[in-house]
Amino acid sequence: MFIAPNFTANQWKNLKLEQNEQDWQKAIDIFKSRIESRYIEPVEKLLEIEDELKPSERRFGFTILAINLLLMETIQAFKDGLETTDGQSKKVFKDFLKSSPHFSPYFTTDSQRETFYKAFRCGILHQGEIQSSALVWSIGELYERAEGMETLNRNAVHKAIKSDLEDYINGLRNPASESLRAKFRKKMDFLANRQEQVVN
């Protein structure tokens, strides 16, 4: 069973991560391929389709956001070494907003993070709509609060999540990042073992 394009769970288990830095770099490439193929590339295709349209004519905002909101939780689960986020989604999502240098400037209080989690993450993923009066747009700041109106720029969200992913990957590539790597490996080992169980 594949855990990334053209890479199986069994191949993952054969990596010599304890003694081989080259295999570590390969492991990180596998993760990068997994995330880009499942999250980044589909969003880029949607953005490309809408690129020539006027902002008022763009219609893929909710789909773009849904994918990126899932990716936020996914990245944080890897950072924390969580095998699953069952029963922890709120904490994991809010931790991402708080710790990410690309998102934290827009969500400086726990109340703002809580509201974003409920209105956007839960609203879009569970109800197919935002559970507030905030608007989804494709221009402007990532998140704007002005004169009683709130606006989220889904394009800026995607750009920021790509930067966060790049930061995380760069951290993993550093052999000195022992704790980060240990948590990453715990998560990947779990995914590989689960895929094998599905097959068997």
Side-chain angles (χ1 to χ4, degrees):
M1 183 69 72
F2 292 98
I3 60 171
N6 302 314
F7 201 86
T8 66
N10 191 53
Q11 286 175 300
W12 171 266
K13 291 189 169 187
N14 288 331
L15 292 175
K16 304 289 190 297
L17 299 182
E18 291 83 0
Q19 67 254 27
N20 192 325
E21 179 59 28
Q22 187 175 358
D23 275 11
W24 254 112
Q25 297 303 321
K26 185 174 183 179
I28 297 163
D29 288 339
I30 293 161
F31 166 77
K32 184 173 183 285
S33 176
R34 175 186 174 93
I35 297 300
E36 288 184 346
S37 65
R38 294 185 178 202
Y39 299 94
I40 302 298
E41 291 172 11
V43 172
E44 306 259 293
K45 291 292 185 184
L46 293 173
L47 290 173
E48 184 181 335
I49 292 170
E50 290 192 328
D51 189 49
E52 300 298 321
L53 300 177
K54 297 176 182 177
S56 60
E57 297 174 342
R58 295 169 182 167
R59 296 288 181 264
F60 298 155
F62 274 41
T63 304
I64 289 167
L65 271 181
I67 295 170
N68 281 314
L69 293 170
L70 285 171
L71 182 52
M72 290 180 195
E73 192 169 322
T74 299
I75 291 175
Q76 192 62 40
F78 273 96
K79 289 180 179 178
D80 293 342
L82 298 176
E83 294 179 347
T84 175
T85 59
D86 290 351
Q88 304 178 73
S89 288
K90 181 195 286 191
K91 181 182 184 306
V92 172
F93 191 86
K94 288 171 64 177
D95 283 351
F96 174 86
L97 294 177
K98 185 177 181 178
S99 63
S100 167
H102 309 287
F103 287 88
S104 59
Y106 301 96
F107 303 96
T108 57
T109 68
D110 186 69
S111 175
Q112 289 175 343
R113 293 187 287 271
E114 178 87 12
T115 297
F116 189 70
Y117 169 78
K118 290 181 177 178
F120 283 87
R121 189 271 185 195
C122 294
I124 291 177
L125 296 181
H126 297 307
Q127 305 298 327
E129 62 181 8
I130 299 168
Q131 300 291 293
S132 77
S133 59
L135 302 175
V136 176
W137 202 231
S138 59
I139 56 175
E141 288 292 317
L142 187 148
Y143 204 97
E144 295 186 66
R145 301 173 181 87
E147 301 177 358
M149 178 178 289
E150 298 187 11
T151 307
L152 178 70
N153 179 350
R154 51 32 178 266
N155 290 28
V157 166
H158 184 63
K159 182 178 179 180
I161 196 78
K162 284 176 65 178
S163 295
D164 203 275
L165 177 63
E166 183 178 355
D167 291 346
Y168 177 56
I169 289 172
N170 288 338
L172 288 172
R173 291 203 185 280
N174 183 354
S177 302
E178 295 180 3
S179 177
L180 196 68
R181 283 187 170 191
K183 292 173 181 177
F184 164 78
R185 184 176 181 181
K186 180 182 178 183
K187 176 71 170 176
M188 286 297 290
D189 284 346
F190 171 77
L191 294 173
N193 288 332
R194 188 177 63 182
Q195 292 291 6
E196 280 200 337
Q197 290 169 4
V198 169
V199 173
N200 296 327

